[in-house]
Each structure stands twice: as structure tokens, then as C-alpha cells.
Amino acid sequence: MTKIAKIALATTLLAGSLSANDIIKGSGASFPYSVYQKWLKAYNKDTGVKVDYIKKGSSKGIKDAESRAVDFAGTDKPLSPKALKKSGLYQFPGVVGAITMGYNVPGVKNIQLSRNAIVAIASGKVAYWDDQVIASVNKGVKLPHKKLTFVHRADGSGTTYNFTYYLSKISAEWRGEFGAKKSLNWPGEQHIGGKTNSGVAALLKQTPFSVGYIDYADAKNNGIAMATVENKAGNYIKPELKYFQAAAAKADLNPAKDFYAVIADPAGADSYPMVAATFILVPAEKPEMNKKVTAFYNWSYKNGQEIAKSLGFVPLPESLTNKINTYWAEKGIK
């Protein structure tokens, strides 16, 4: 049987097990919103099943899952097995994406940021764009003597959690003073906050001489310039899919731990450093609805790879989706 025939058969069987009247409701992380939106539209077209997903940020996604306000919730901050057990939730990864350093410096392109520069910017220790910590690795780039504005998330955010987790891995000072959090009182005087990744994109676009952390898809869709950043090996890596894939290959997502893992700053000469898996939470006591949720994600794993790649997300490898399917079967939600 050809690959196309296998997919057609699988789709027919899947569509036959679901009703066109089904509506599956989800909410949470904005980081994977763009890929989920395209997946759910393609899934509806193929099966007739409607899936709604509202981006609220990871913090509200977790709250929605805990209060049973939705059928599934997205979060970029994974919950530990202990926290999942306490809340009666199951967890599995949806997709892997990347966080970038978007910037708006009129007339300036191809900015590189070292690990020290990223920590200094987030710490509020860089006042001007021509500060030595930025200029030292941008020889030949005419950086302006203009005040630098740092743009961050204002809401509870898994993107913030993964960014600050990354900062904690590369800076002992950051780890000791701030740590990894979904939200925090950012240090320094020159910073502004936006709600969801779309809000950060809007602030970057309307604020000259700004820089901030934002997911790759929102930066790309909004035409925002993205810095080349230093990785663990000391190489400067562009925010491109092949480098996200090199980083994702290092991820250790173990079903025995409910896939609990944060994958920032992996080893590897070509690994992009600011990568993150994003996760799905479902309530343990609703196996029949959960089977509809996992059917959607199983369809997306199999048929949504090109959609994910087109948006700069890394599809989960078959070796991992096989583990997820086994996890679902063991939990009775497949």
C-alpha cells in the first residue's frame, strides 16, 4: 500500500469514528497558536470535526485545565508528574518551536547577540544600543547611540517561562536572582510589556530601538527582524528551521515522566539555543472526550508536518509520536 493510500485509509477510518457535530474546546498558550489554528482548520476540512482553541497564555491555560473549563489546554510550561497527579491531568507534547530575539533598529540589519548580551538586556543593564556588550560582536555594524527598550510579556506566559529558564541556564546570576518564571517584575527602567506573543509583536513594530523575546512564528508573520544568537558551543546561529530541528533532536521527552522536560540551550554545534516544546493537558476523568482530543493531535502529527514546518515549528519525530500513542493507550485515552 502506498503512503498516500495509507493516509487516505487512516483518514477515512478516523472520520468514520467521529461526528461532524463534535466541538472540542481548548485554550492556553499563544506560542503554538499559529500552528494549532492551521491544524484545526485542516482537520475540520478533512473530518468535519470542529476544534476551537483560544490563545490566553499558558498560565490561564493551566487554570482552565484545572477548573475543567475546556476539553484541553495548551501550556509551554510543562507540569511535573506530581502536579499532574494533584490536578488529575494527563500531559503530552504538541510541537516544538523556537523563541527569537526580535528587534526594531531602523536602518540596521543582521544584529548578533551573545549570551552575555541577552542576559544584560533582560537584566536592564544595557541602556544604549551601542553598549560594548552588543557592539563587541557586531563589528562593522553601525549601532546607534539610542536608548534600548526591552519588550517582554505582560501576562503569565509559557514563553516567558522558557525564556527565563534559558537565562537561568546560561547565567548563574540570573538563576540566583530571578530564576525561571511565567511572569516577573522585570528589572531596569527601560522596558514595556505586551499581552500574548501578538502583543509583543505589536510593541516591537511600533517601538523604534526595541528588542524582545517572541516566538518565531509571530516574529516571521509580522516581518520583525530576528537576531542571530550565540549557542552553547559558542557559535552564532540564525533562527532557521534546520537549526531548530538540530536542537529538538537533543530533547529528552520521556513518557514515564509524563514528558516533563524543558529543552532550552541544548548541546550541539548547530543547535539553536532558545527552543521549547509546548504541551497539552487533558482531564483524566473524561476518557471519551480525551479520545477526541488525542485523535485530533494524532491526525496533526501524521498530516500536519508540512504546515508546522511552513511556520517554523518542528514536527515531532515518529519515534516520539509512537511513545505518545503508547502513553495514550496506557491512560485509556486513545
Side-chain angles (χ1 to χ4, degrees):
M1 186 182 290
T2 66
K3 183 178 179 181
I4 293 175
K6 288 180 179 177
I7 292 174
L9 176 60
T11 300
T12 300
L13 292 172
L14 179 61
S17 67
L18 295 168
S19 165
N21 294 322
D22 285 326
I23 298 178
I24 305 167
K25 297 181 179 178
S27 69
S30 66
F31 178 75
Y33 179 74
S34 58
V35 68
Y36 287 177
Q37 281 298 101
K38 289 208 170 186
W39 278 354
L40 63 87
K41 287 180 181 177
Y43 186 61
N44 177 255
K45 184 178 180 180
D46 202 13
T47 67
V49 178
K50 186 175 181 181
V51 183
D52 287 334
Y53 183 83
I54 301 172
K55 59 179 177 181
K56 296 181 176 179
S58 294
S59 287
K60 289 186 177 177
I62 293 171
K63 289 180 179 177
D64 281 353
E66 291 175 338
S67 67
R68 281 21 180 193
V70 292
D71 300 314
F72 72 98
T75 175
D76 306 330
K77 179 186 184 301
L79 299 186
S80 68
K82 183 178 179 180
L84 290 167
K85 186 176 182 180
K86 182 180 178 182
S87 298
L89 297 168
Y90 298 140
Q91 174 176 263
F92 56 90
V95 69
V96 172
I99 299 168
T100 69
M101 294 300 290
Y103 65 87
N104 176 355
V105 184
V108 178
K109 298 180 180 178
N110 303 320
I111 287 178
Q112 295 190 145
L113 293 176
S114 66
R115 295 155 82 84
N116 287 339
I118 294 171
V119 173
I121 289 169
S123 302
K125 295 179 179 177
V126 178
Y128 294 92
W129 271 99
D130 57 354
D131 188 291
Q132 184 62 20
V133 73
I134 299 176
S136 63
V137 296
N138 286 283
K139 306 292 187 184
V141 177
K142 189 172 178 55
L143 293 165
H145 186 65
K146 294 285 188 179
K147 278 198 170 182
L148 180 151
T149 299
F150 176 59
V151 183
H152 55 80
R153 288 284 292 273
D155 52 331
S157 160
T159 307
T160 298
Y161 175 80
N162 279 283
F163 180 64
T164 54
Y165 182 92
Y166 160 76
L167 294 176
S168 296
K169 287 195 76 173
I170 67 173
S171 167
E173 183 178 350
W174 180 278
R175 183 169 62 250
E177 192 162 354
F178 304 105
K181 299 176 180 175
K182 295 195 295 295
S183 62
L184 74 158
N185 293 320
W186 291 92
E189 298 178 351
Q190 198 71 11
H191 60 86
I192 52 177
K195 188 177 180 181
T196 77
N197 277 293
S198 298
V200 171
L203 286 176
L204 284 168
K205 289 178 73 173
Q206 68 190 42
T207 311
F209 308 106
S210 61
V211 60
Y213 61 94
I214 181 173
D215 72 289
Y216 174 82
D218 273 292
K220 182 182 177 184
N221 291 341
N222 284 281
I224 293 170
M226 293 173 268
T228 297
V229 295
E230 183 184 13
N231 71 3
K232 194 171 188 175
N235 299 323
Y236 282 82
I237 308 296
K238 292 183 178 179
E240 295 180 358
L241 180 62
K242 61 182 178 181
Y243 302 123
F244 304 159
Q245 291 174 312
K250 307 291 184 182
D252 180 21
L253 294 161
N254 186 348
K257 300 177 182 175
D258 298 292
F259 304 99
Y260 177 69
V262 184
I263 62 175
D265 202 36
D270 296 330
S271 295
Y272 185 80
M274 291 184 285
V275 288
T278 186
F279 299 84
I280 300 301
L281 303 171
V282 294
E285 75 280 7
K286 297 182 178 180
E288 294 310 311
M289 177 54 77
N290 289 342
K291 290 176 183 177
K292 296 174 184 177
V293 174
T294 59
F296 164 60
Y297 276 96
N298 196 42
W299 183 95
S300 300
Y301 294 154
K302 292 178 178 177
N303 304 296
Q305 294 207 0
E306 293 308 314
I307 290 175
K309 289 178 182 176
S310 72
L311 295 168
F313 287 89
V314 181
L316 302 183
E318 188 174 358
S319 58
L320 177 55
T321 60
N322 287 339
K323 291 179 181 177
I324 295 171
N325 270 275
T326 300
Y327 176 85
W328 290 341
E330 290 174 352
K331 304 298 185 186
I333 59 172
K334 179 184 177 184

